Structures are given as C-alpha cells and as structure tokens.
PDB file of all heavy atoms in Angstrom:
ATOM      1  N   ARG A 191      -4.055  -7.691   2.653  1.00 95.00           N
ATOM      2  CA  ARG A 191      -5.330  -7.397   3.227  1.00 95.00           C
ATOM      3  C   ARG A 191      -6.192  -6.515   2.295  1.00 95.00           C
ATOM      4  O   ARG A 191      -7.366  -6.739   2.131  1.00 95.00           O
ATOM      5  CB  ARG A 191      -5.128  -6.650   4.583  1.00 95.00           C
ATOM      6  CG  ARG A 191      -5.840  -7.298   5.738  1.00 95.00           C
ATOM      7  CD  ARG A 191      -5.654  -6.588   7.075  1.00 95.00           C
ATOM      8  NE  ARG A 191      -4.839  -5.392   7.201  1.00 95.00           N
ATOM      9  CZ  ARG A 191      -3.543  -5.391   7.552  1.00 95.00           C
ATOM     10  NH1 ARG A 191      -2.947  -6.555   7.871  1.00 95.00           N
ATOM     11  NH2 ARG A 191      -2.862  -4.316   7.669  1.00 95.00           N
ATOM     12  N   ILE A 192      -5.611  -5.515   1.728  1.00 96.00           N
ATOM     13  CA  ILE A 192      -6.341  -4.638   0.786  1.00 96.00           C
ATOM     14  C   ILE A 192      -6.813  -5.381  -0.411  1.00 96.00           C
ATOM     15  O   ILE A 192      -7.973  -5.303  -0.803  1.00 96.00           O
ATOM     16  CB  ILE A 192      -5.412  -3.409   0.333  1.00 96.00           C
ATOM     17  CG1 ILE A 192      -5.153  -2.440   1.496  1.00 96.00           C
ATOM     18  CG2 ILE A 192      -6.058  -2.664  -0.838  1.00 96.00           C
ATOM     19  CD1 ILE A 192      -4.095  -1.385   1.256  1.00 96.00           C
ATOM     20  N   ILE A 193      -5.944  -6.180  -1.012  1.00 97.00           N
ATOM     21  CA  ILE A 193      -6.343  -6.989  -2.191  1.00 97.00           C
ATOM     22  C   ILE A 193      -7.438  -7.925  -1.789  1.00 97.00           C
ATOM     23  O   ILE A 193      -8.431  -8.060  -2.473  1.00 97.00           O
ATOM     24  CB  ILE A 193      -5.179  -7.728  -2.791  1.00 97.00           C
ATOM     25  CG1 ILE A 193      -4.155  -6.759  -3.399  1.00 97.00           C
ATOM     26  CG2 ILE A 193      -5.632  -8.711  -3.860  1.00 97.00           C
ATOM     27  CD1 ILE A 193      -2.843  -7.409  -3.861  1.00 97.00           C
ATOM     28  N   ALA A 194      -7.295  -8.653  -0.667  1.00 97.00           N
ATOM     29  CA  ALA A 194      -8.300  -9.622  -0.211  1.00 97.00           C
ATOM     30  C   ALA A 194      -9.627  -9.000   0.051  1.00 97.00           C
ATOM     31  O   ALA A 194     -10.663  -9.591  -0.277  1.00 97.00           O
ATOM     32  CB  ALA A 194      -7.794 -10.359   1.016  1.00 97.00           C
ATOM     33  N   SER A 195      -9.651  -7.802   0.634  1.00 95.00           N
ATOM     34  CA  SER A 195     -10.907  -7.194   0.981  1.00 95.00           C
ATOM     35  C   SER A 195     -11.538  -6.337  -0.096  1.00 95.00           C
ATOM     36  O   SER A 195     -12.758  -6.316  -0.274  1.00 95.00           O
ATOM     37  CB  SER A 195     -10.787  -6.372   2.278  1.00 95.00           C
ATOM     38  OG  SER A 195      -9.918  -5.305   2.042  1.00 95.00           O
ATOM     39  N   LYS A 196     -10.735  -5.619  -0.883  1.00 95.00           N
ATOM     40  CA  LYS A 196     -11.284  -4.695  -1.864  1.00 95.00           C
ATOM     41  C   LYS A 196     -10.904  -4.981  -3.280  1.00 95.00           C
ATOM     42  O   LYS A 196     -11.363  -4.307  -4.166  1.00 95.00           O
ATOM     43  CB  LYS A 196     -10.772  -3.294  -1.527  1.00 95.00           C
ATOM     44  CG  LYS A 196     -11.174  -2.808  -0.125  1.00 95.00           C
ATOM     45  CD  LYS A 196     -10.594  -1.455   0.102  1.00 95.00           C
ATOM     46  CE  LYS A 196     -10.844  -0.971   1.550  1.00 95.00           C
ATOM     47  NZ  LYS A 196     -10.181   0.276   1.848  1.00 95.00           N
ATOM     48  N   GLY A 197      -9.991  -5.915  -3.535  1.00 94.00           N
ATOM     49  CA  GLY A 197      -9.580  -6.230  -4.882  1.00 94.00           C
ATOM     50  C   GLY A 197      -8.308  -5.485  -5.281  1.00 94.00           C
ATOM     51  O   GLY A 197      -7.952  -4.471  -4.682  1.00 94.00           O
ATOM     52  N   LEU A 198      -7.673  -5.976  -6.299  1.00 94.00           N
ATOM     53  CA  LEU A 198      -6.403  -5.413  -6.796  1.00 94.00           C
ATOM     54  C   LEU A 198      -6.553  -3.952  -7.188  1.00 94.00           C
ATOM     55  O   LEU A 198      -5.634  -3.162  -6.949  1.00 94.00           O
ATOM     56  CB  LEU A 198      -5.883  -6.275  -7.977  1.00 94.00           C
ATOM     57  CG  LEU A 198      -4.597  -5.822  -8.633  1.00 94.00           C
ATOM     58  CD1 LEU A 198      -3.458  -5.860  -7.636  1.00 94.00           C
ATOM     59  CD2 LEU A 198      -4.284  -6.709  -9.853  1.00 94.00           C
ATOM     60  N   ILE A 199      -7.666  -3.601  -7.778  1.00 94.00           N
ATOM     61  CA  ILE A 199      -7.851  -2.224  -8.259  1.00 94.00           C
ATOM     62  C   ILE A 199      -7.776  -1.218  -7.143  1.00 94.00           C
ATOM     63  O   ILE A 199      -7.448  -0.083  -7.362  1.00 94.00           O
ATOM     64  CB  ILE A 199      -9.185  -2.110  -9.031  1.00 94.00           C
ATOM     65  CG1 ILE A 199      -9.186  -0.841  -9.803  1.00 94.00           C
ATOM     66  CG2 ILE A 199     -10.378  -2.199  -8.099  1.00 94.00           C
ATOM     67  CD1 ILE A 199      -9.712  -0.955 -11.215  1.00 94.00           C
ATOM     68  N   SER A 200      -7.992  -1.660  -5.894  1.00 94.00           N
ATOM     69  CA  SER A 200      -7.979  -0.780  -4.757  1.00 94.00           C
ATOM     70  C   SER A 200      -6.605  -0.595  -4.150  1.00 94.00           C
ATOM     71  O   SER A 200      -6.435   0.219  -3.263  1.00 94.00           O
ATOM     72  CB  SER A 200      -8.936  -1.250  -3.664  1.00 94.00           C
ATOM     73  OG  SER A 200     -10.231  -1.247  -4.156  1.00 94.00           O
ATOM     74  N   LEU A 201      -5.664  -1.401  -4.575  1.00 95.00           N
ATOM     75  CA  LEU A 201      -4.306  -1.341  -4.003  1.00 95.00           C
ATOM     76  C   LEU A 201      -3.541  -0.117  -4.511  1.00 95.00           C
ATOM     77  O   LEU A 201      -3.367   0.081  -5.734  1.00 95.00           O
ATOM     78  CB  LEU A 201      -3.528  -2.610  -4.381  1.00 95.00           C
ATOM     79  CG  LEU A 201      -2.147  -2.722  -3.753  1.00 95.00           C
ATOM     80  CD1 LEU A 201      -2.238  -2.837  -2.239  1.00 95.00           C
ATOM     81  CD2 LEU A 201      -1.379  -3.928  -4.349  1.00 95.00           C
ATOM     82  N   LYS A 202      -3.119   0.726  -3.572  1.00 95.00           N
ATOM     83  CA  LYS A 202      -2.347   1.915  -3.902  1.00 95.00           C
ATOM     84  C   LYS A 202      -1.131   1.934  -2.972  1.00 95.00           C
ATOM     85  O   LYS A 202      -1.260   1.652  -1.774  1.00 95.00           O
ATOM     86  CB  LYS A 202      -3.165   3.187  -3.614  1.00 95.00           C
ATOM     87  CG  LYS A 202      -4.528   3.229  -4.291  1.00 95.00           C
ATOM     88  CD  LYS A 202      -4.429   3.500  -5.756  1.00 95.00           C
ATOM     89  CE  LYS A 202      -5.757   3.629  -6.378  1.00 95.00           C
ATOM     90  NZ  LYS A 202      -6.262   2.508  -7.108  1.00 95.00           N
ATOM     91  N   VAL A 203       0.017   2.232  -3.538  1.00 95.00           N
ATOM     92  CA  VAL A 203       1.241   2.274  -2.754  1.00 95.00           C
ATOM     93  C   VAL A 203       1.111   3.231  -1.580  1.00 95.00           C
ATOM     94  O   VAL A 203       1.570   2.921  -0.498  1.00 95.00           O
ATOM     95  CB  VAL A 203       2.462   2.651  -3.636  1.00 95.00           C
ATOM     96  CG1 VAL A 203       3.726   2.857  -2.793  1.00 95.00           C
ATOM     97  CG2 VAL A 203       2.707   1.575  -4.686  1.00 95.00           C
ATOM     98  N   ARG A 204       0.464   4.356  -1.818  1.00 95.00           N
ATOM     99  CA  ARG A 204       0.262   5.353  -0.771  1.00 95.00           C
ATOM    100  C   ARG A 204      -0.463   4.733   0.461  1.00 95.00           C
ATOM    101  O   ARG A 204      -0.061   4.933   1.590  1.00 95.00           O
ATOM    102  CB  ARG A 204      -0.503   6.543  -1.304  1.00 95.00           C
ATOM    103  CG  ARG A 204      -0.852   7.607  -0.319  1.00 95.00           C
ATOM    104  CD  ARG A 204      -1.732   8.710  -0.972  1.00 95.00           C
ATOM    105  NE  ARG A 204      -3.084   8.218  -1.265  1.00 95.00           N
ATOM    106  CZ  ARG A 204      -3.576   7.900  -2.487  1.00 95.00           C
ATOM    107  NH1 ARG A 204      -2.804   8.068  -3.517  1.00 95.00           N
ATOM    108  NH2 ARG A 204      -4.777   7.461  -2.642  1.00 95.00           N
ATOM    109  N   ASP A 205      -1.509   3.953   0.179  1.00 94.00           N
ATOM    110  CA  ASP A 205      -2.292   3.320   1.240  1.00 94.00           C
ATOM    111  C   ASP A 205      -1.426   2.276   2.016  1.00 94.00           C
ATOM    112  O   ASP A 205      -1.551   2.167   3.229  1.00 94.00           O
ATOM    113  CB  ASP A 205      -3.535   2.648   0.718  1.00 94.00           C
ATOM    114  CG  ASP A 205      -4.509   3.683   0.108  1.00 94.00           C
ATOM    115  OD1 ASP A 205      -4.423   4.875   0.459  1.00 94.00           O
ATOM    116  OD2 ASP A 205      -5.336   3.258  -0.732  1.00 94.00           O
ATOM    117  N   VAL A 206      -0.624   1.542   1.272  1.00 95.00           N
ATOM    118  CA  VAL A 206       0.220   0.546   1.882  1.00 95.00           C
ATOM    119  C   VAL A 206       1.224   1.215   2.804  1.00 95.00           C
ATOM    120  O   VAL A 206       1.419   0.840   3.960  1.00 95.00           O
ATOM    121  CB  VAL A 206       0.956  -0.325   0.850  1.00 95.00           C
ATOM    122  CG1 VAL A 206       2.000  -1.210   1.516  1.00 95.00           C
ATOM    123  CG2 VAL A 206      -0.047  -1.142   0.079  1.00 95.00           C
ATOM    124  N   ALA A 207       1.880   2.264   2.322  1.00 95.00           N
ATOM    125  CA  ALA A 207       2.839   3.032   3.101  1.00 95.00           C
ATOM    126  C   ALA A 207       2.223   3.623   4.346  1.00 95.00           C
ATOM    127  O   ALA A 207       2.740   3.509   5.446  1.00 95.00           O
ATOM    128  CB  ALA A 207       3.554   4.083   2.278  1.00 95.00           C
ATOM    129  N   GLU A 208       1.045   4.221   4.175  1.00 94.00           N
ATOM    130  CA  GLU A 208       0.356   4.837   5.310  1.00 94.00           C
ATOM    131  C   GLU A 208      -0.028   3.803   6.403  1.00 94.00           C
ATOM    132  O   GLU A 208       0.224   3.998   7.553  1.00 94.00           O
ATOM    133  CB  GLU A 208      -0.915   5.542   4.809  1.00 94.00           C
ATOM    134  CG  GLU A 208      -1.583   6.418   5.803  1.00 94.00           C
ATOM    135  CD  GLU A 208      -2.780   7.148   5.196  1.00 94.00           C
ATOM    136  OE1 GLU A 208      -2.525   8.012   4.298  1.00 94.00           O
ATOM    137  OE2 GLU A 208      -3.901   6.829   5.566  1.00 94.00           O
ATOM    138  N   ALA A 209      -0.590   2.685   5.977  1.00 92.00           N
ATOM    139  CA  ALA A 209      -0.982   1.637   6.920  1.00 92.00           C
ATOM    140  C   ALA A 209       0.231   0.988   7.600  1.00 92.00           C
ATOM    141  O   ALA A 209       0.156   0.610   8.767  1.00 92.00           O
ATOM    142  CB  ALA A 209      -1.841   0.561   6.205  1.00 92.00           C
ATOM    143  N   ALA A 210       1.317   0.883   6.888  1.00 91.00           N
ATOM    144  CA  ALA A 210       2.520   0.290   7.414  1.00 91.00           C
ATOM    145  C   ALA A 210       3.433   1.298   8.184  1.00 91.00           C
ATOM    146  O   ALA A 210       4.490   0.990   8.666  1.00 91.00           O
ATOM    147  CB  ALA A 210       3.348  -0.357   6.323  1.00 91.00           C
ATOM    148  N   GLU A 211       2.902   2.571   8.202  1.00 93.00           N
ATOM    149  CA  GLU A 211       3.628   3.653   8.876  1.00 93.00           C
ATOM    150  C   GLU A 211       5.056   3.801   8.363  1.00 93.00           C
ATOM    151  O   GLU A 211       6.009   3.859   9.128  1.00 93.00           O
ATOM    152  CB  GLU A 211       3.589   3.493  10.378  1.00 93.00           C
ATOM    153  CG  GLU A 211       2.176   3.461  10.922  1.00 93.00           C
ATOM    154  CD  GLU A 211       2.108   3.231  12.429  1.00 93.00           C
ATOM    155  OE1 GLU A 211       3.136   2.940  13.028  1.00 93.00           O
ATOM    156  OE2 GLU A 211       0.990   3.370  12.982  1.00 93.00           O
ATOM    157  N   CYS A 212       5.154   3.853   7.058  1.00 92.00           N
ATOM    158  CA  CYS A 212       6.469   4.063   6.430  1.00 92.00           C
ATOM    159  C   CYS A 212       6.270   5.002   5.232  1.00 92.00           C
ATOM    160  O   CYS A 212       5.135   5.381   4.874  1.00 92.00           O
ATOM    161  CB  CYS A 212       7.091   2.744   6.007  1.00 92.00           C
ATOM    162  SG  CYS A 212       6.214   1.882   4.644  1.00 92.00           S
ATOM    163  N   SER A 213       7.371   5.325   4.558  1.00 94.00           N
ATOM    164  CA  SER A 213       7.277   6.190   3.401  1.00 94.00           C
ATOM    165  C   SER A 213       6.976   5.420   2.160  1.00 94.00           C
ATOM    166  O   SER A 213       7.193   4.157   2.105  1.00 94.00           O
ATOM    167  CB  SER A 213       8.593   6.940   3.202  1.00 94.00           C
ATOM    168  OG  SER A 213       9.619   6.052   2.827  1.00 94.00           O
ATOM    169  N   ILE A 214       6.457   6.035   1.130  1.00 94.00           N
ATOM    170  CA  ILE A 214       6.283   5.398  -0.160  1.00 94.00           C
ATOM    171  C   ILE A 214       7.589   4.875  -0.668  1.00 94.00           C
ATOM    172  O   ILE A 214       7.640   3.743  -1.243  1.00 94.00           O
ATOM    173  CB  ILE A 214       5.631   6.400  -1.195  1.00 94.00           C
ATOM    174  CG1 ILE A 214       4.219   6.696  -0.749  1.00 94.00           C
ATOM    175  CG2 ILE A 214       5.658   5.810  -2.593  1.00 94.00           C
ATOM    176  CD1 ILE A 214       3.507   7.782  -1.579  1.00 94.00           C
ATOM    177  N   GLY A 215       8.650   5.602  -0.447  1.00 95.00           N
ATOM    178  CA  GLY A 215       9.988   5.124  -0.875  1.00 95.00           C
ATOM    179  C   GLY A 215      10.375   3.804  -0.224  1.00 95.00           C
ATOM    180  O   GLY A 215      11.057   2.975  -0.827  1.00 95.00           O
ATOM    181  N   SER A 216       9.988   3.656   1.018  1.00 95.00           N
ATOM    182  CA  SER A 216      10.265   2.344   1.696  1.00 95.00           C
ATOM    183  C   SER A 216       9.605   1.144   0.985  1.00 95.00           C
ATOM    184  O   SER A 216      10.168   0.075   0.899  1.00 95.00           O
ATOM    185  CB  SER A 216       9.805   2.434   3.175  1.00 95.00           C
ATOM    186  OG  SER A 216      10.549   3.376   3.876  1.00 95.00           O
ATOM    187  N   VAL A 217       8.410   1.372   0.507  1.00 94.00           N
ATOM    188  CA  VAL A 217       7.688   0.321  -0.179  1.00 94.00           C
ATOM    189  C   VAL A 217       8.497  -0.057  -1.449  1.00 94.00           C
ATOM    190  O   VAL A 217       8.723  -1.212  -1.752  1.00 94.00           O
ATOM    191  CB  VAL A 217       6.236   0.706  -0.549  1.00 94.00           C
ATOM    192  CG1 VAL A 217       5.587  -0.374  -1.356  1.00 94.00           C
ATOM    193  CG2 VAL A 217       5.441   1.010   0.739  1.00 94.00           C
ATOM    194  N   TYR A 218       8.905   1.007  -2.184  1.00 95.00           N
ATOM    195  CA  TYR A 218       9.684   0.736  -3.407  1.00 95.00           C
ATOM    196  C   TYR A 218      11.028   0.134  -3.119  1.00 95.00           C
ATOM    197  O   TYR A 218      11.504  -0.705  -3.865  1.00 95.00           O
ATOM    198  CB  TYR A 218       9.813   2.040  -4.241  1.00 95.00           C
ATOM    199  CG  TYR A 218       8.524   2.442  -4.895  1.00 95.00           C
ATOM    200  CD1 TYR A 218       7.841   3.611  -4.528  1.00 95.00           C
ATOM    201  CD2 TYR A 218       7.960   1.661  -5.905  1.00 95.00           C
ATOM    202  CE1 TYR A 218       6.609   3.961  -5.122  1.00 95.00           C
ATOM    203  CE2 TYR A 218       6.760   2.034  -6.536  1.00 95.00           C
ATOM    204  CZ  TYR A 218       6.125   3.179  -6.142  1.00 95.00           C
ATOM    205  OH  TYR A 218       4.888   3.494  -6.713  1.00 95.00           O
ATOM    206  N   ASN A 219      11.659   0.569  -2.037  1.00 95.00           N
ATOM    207  CA  ASN A 219      12.969  -0.042  -1.643  1.00 95.00           C
ATOM    208  C   ASN A 219      12.805  -1.505  -1.355  1.00 95.00           C
ATOM    209  O   ASN A 219      13.669  -2.317  -1.681  1.00 95.00           O
ATOM    210  CB  ASN A 219      13.567   0.682  -0.419  1.00 95.00           C
ATOM    211  CG  ASN A 219      14.141   2.022  -0.759  1.00 95.00           C
ATOM    212  OD1 ASN A 219      14.483   2.307  -1.959  1.00 95.00           O
ATOM    213  ND2 ASN A 219      14.227   2.885   0.170  1.00 95.00           N
ATOM    214  N   GLU A 220      11.720  -1.905  -0.728  1.00 95.00           N
ATOM    215  CA  GLU A 220      11.446  -3.261  -0.334  1.00 95.00           C
ATOM    216  C   GLU A 220      11.084  -4.156  -1.511  1.00 95.00           C
ATOM    217  O   GLU A 220      11.549  -5.305  -1.588  1.00 95.00           O
ATOM    218  CB  GLU A 220      10.386  -3.324   0.730  1.00 95.00           C
ATOM    219  CG  GLU A 220      10.064  -4.703   1.286  1.00 95.00           C
ATOM    220  CD  GLU A 220      11.184  -5.295   2.094  1.00 95.00           C
ATOM    221  OE1 GLU A 220      11.959  -4.589   2.708  1.00 95.00           O
ATOM    222  OE2 GLU A 220      11.234  -6.532   2.163  1.00 95.00           O
TER     223      GLU A 220
END
C-alpha cells in the first residue's frame, strides 16, 4: 500500500511495523 500510494522512497520499516501493529524486529524476522 505504501509503495503503491507514495512510491518506494516512502517505504520505511518503522511505518510498516507501526501500521501492522508489530515490532520492527518482527518485520526483519519475517
């Protein structure tokens, strides 16, 4: 969703983790 709406440059792991209600570590684990 972030890439589609704002572009790759706007993608931040922190934002993904926050929106998915998980930790940054969970994103890296996945």
Side-chain angles (χ1 to χ4, degrees):
R191 236 182 356 265
I192 291 170
I193 294 172
S195 64
K196 300 177 186 175
L198 180 61
I199 194 137
S200 297
L201 184 66
K202 308 285 185 259
V203 174
R204 176 185 70 255
D205 296 338
V206 171
E208 190 176 293
E211 299 178 353
C212 66
S213 68
I214 290 174
S216 295
V217 176
Y218 287 112
N219 285 337
E220 182 69 25

